[in-house]
Amino acid sequence: MARALELLDAGQVVALPTETVYGLAADALNPEAVARIFEAKERPRFDPLIVHLPEQKALDHVSKIETEIVPQLTQAFWPGPLTIVLRKRDTIPDIVTAGLETVAIRMSANPIFMKIAAKFGRPIAAPSANRFGQISPTRASHVFDELGGRIALIVDGGPTQHGIESTIVRIVNGSIEILRNGPITAEKLAQFAPIVKGRSSDTVAAPGQLPSHYAPHAKLVVVATLENVLGWSGKRIAALSFRDSTALHRFWTRAYLSERGDLREAAANLFQKLRQLDRQNPDLIVAELVPEEGIGAAINERLRRAAVK
Ligand code: AMP
Ligand code: MG
């Protein structure tokens, strides 16, 4: 556990047991640490992650509680396998929520996870500790099979208690909408508010399917290189590139993703830089694709998705 804390403090990822499945944990407030989660999982895209709180009090620090139902649910089911989707505060970096205005939050009841989270004292982002597209690990050995050699530490807490992922809900007009079924059943939740059946969270998580998924307001096009982009005179063109370059300076406004040409840093900055350009109301955003390697694939996927809107 001491080693896990050292790694979390250093912005590294570590596999931890929860009561549902093993999670791949990182400091939720550190965008580069979160980018490492996507790298380790080899996810070809950014999906919103679940944030695990160190204590109930932290809820107000990361999200806006807009209904009395939320404290009722947290009192009844936390720590435990219930994830609640709430409006996020700016404390949570955009890479955690894949640009969404909402954040999925829970508190794990696994004693090892709880101890580490409490000592760490900050929220922990943790998706299931498997490679992209593989099934969720319920034993440390499963994590080792999937991610051995790719991460520095797996904390072995034995087989997980539930073996299935947490229930995910959000509150809509005083009702509880179930986005993913899990250990906390509709029957248990119905004691607190009427239940409405949501779309399955697989559908929600599919590219472009999330209802409030962030997309720039401005029209966006992707290009292989900014070098050849000419003739935009009279238009307010915003340019986004991987690194700083002279080509950037021809544009009305500009941003680059990484000073040192590092894809992880680029991933950590992506959503924020897109917003920054979009807020200036350009006529068009021209985004240069990044090298299609490692986490670069997820960055390019996000840019292409913003372009087809
Ligand atoms: P995993 O951590 O691998 O169990 O997956 C996390 C799940 O939480 C995915 O199915 C996501 O779609 C879902 N999720 C995370 N954040 C949100 C959100 N803000 N709104 C809706 N679903 C979310
Ligand atoms: Mg998963």
Side-chain angles (χ1 to χ4, degrees):
M1 286 200 279
R3 180 82 181 114
L5 278 165
E6 270 174 36
L7 288 165
L8 289 171
D9 275 330
Q12 299 293 328
V13 298
V14 43
L16 299 178
T18 82
E19 75 277 45
T20 58
V21 302
Y22 275 76
L24 190 56
D27 182 349
L29 304 186
N30 176 343
E32 284 198 44
V34 175
R36 284 196 169 92
I37 293 176
F38 291 99
E39 276 181 315
K41 283 180 67 98
E42 297 186 320
R43 281 207 202 194
R45 60 165 193 256
F46 299 112
D47 292 317
L49 306 178
I50 292 174
V51 169
H52 299 69
L53 299 182
E55 53 174 349
Q56 299 232 6
K57 276 195 309 198
L59 184 60
D60 193 47
H61 185 59
V62 294
S63 64
K64 296 172 190 161
I65 302 153
E66 289 160 331
T67 152
E68 272 306 300
I69 300 171
V70 172
Q72 288 170 17
L73 292 178
T74 59
Q75 243 175 38
F77 299 112
W78 282 7
L82 179 71
T83 299
I84 308 175
V85 173
L86 295 168
R87 260 155 63 77
K88 87 174 192 75
R89 288 194 193 276
D90 291 342
T91 43
I92 297 292
D94 282 327
I95 190 172
V96 172
T97 64
L100 290 174
E101 297 296 340
T102 55
V103 57
I105 305 171
R106 81 175 188 101
M107 252 186 95
S108 173
N110 177 288
I112 295 174
F113 192 106
M114 284 178 83
K115 262 189 204 151
I116 292 172
K119 282 206 172 136
F120 185 53
R122 290 153 71 88
I124 290 174
S128 51
N130 48 278
R131 288 202 190 201
F132 179 75
Q134 302 301 309
I135 55 169
S136 299
T138 56
R139 290 170 181 265
S141 64
H142 299 170
V143 183
F144 187 82
D145 292 343
E146 294 269 322
L147 300 174
R150 297 185 63 83
I151 59 177
L153 181 71
I154 300 166
V155 177
D156 189 348
T160 63
Q161 184 193 343
H162 296 290
I164 55 167
E165 290 91 349
S166 61
T167 305
I168 304 181
V169 300
R170 66 177 168 188
I171 313 301
V172 185
N173 301 326
S175 295
I176 298 171
E177 183 179 20
I178 300 177
L179 296 172
R180 176 170 79 186
N181 288 299
I184 306 294
T185 59
E187 290 72 32
K188 287 186 206 158
L189 291 165
Q191 298 169 16
F192 298 88
I195 305 296
V196 289
K197 263 266 166 262
R199 293 182 280 175
S200 89
S201 87
D202 286 347
T203 318
V204 173
Q209 292 297 300
L210 282 160
S212 54
H213 214 295
Y214 171 73
H217 297 289
K219 195 171 160 49
L220 183 145
V221 295
V222 294
V223 294
T225 168
L226 287 173
E227 293 294 335
N228 307 323
V229 181
L230 292 167
W232 299 107
S233 53
K235 292 263 183 219
R236 300 186 307 170
I237 310 294
L240 180 70
S241 69
F242 178 33
R243 356 176 31 147
D244 200 4
S245 78
T246 48
L248 261 188
H249 295 269
R250 295 201 302 265
F251 295 89
W252 174 70
T253 186
R254 66 203 67 84
Y256 54 87
L257 295 173
S258 171
E259 178 97 54
R260 54 178 195 267
D262 175 71
L263 284 169
R264 185 185 306 132
E265 184 186 36
N269 285 332
L270 174 66
F271 291 98
Q272 179 213 330
K273 296 291 180 184
L274 270 178
R275 275 183 208 274
Q276 177 192 315
L277 293 179
D278 200 30
R279 268 201 303 268
Q280 299 171 65
N281 276 319
D283 296 319
L284 180 70
I285 300 173
V286 181
E288 189 181 65
L289 293 171
V290 305
E292 184 88 16
E293 57 191 52
I295 200 169
I299 297 173
N300 287 341
E301 192 274 344
R302 191 66 193 77
L303 291 175
R304 290 197 183 97
R305 190 135 56 86
V308 296
K309 166 183 72 129

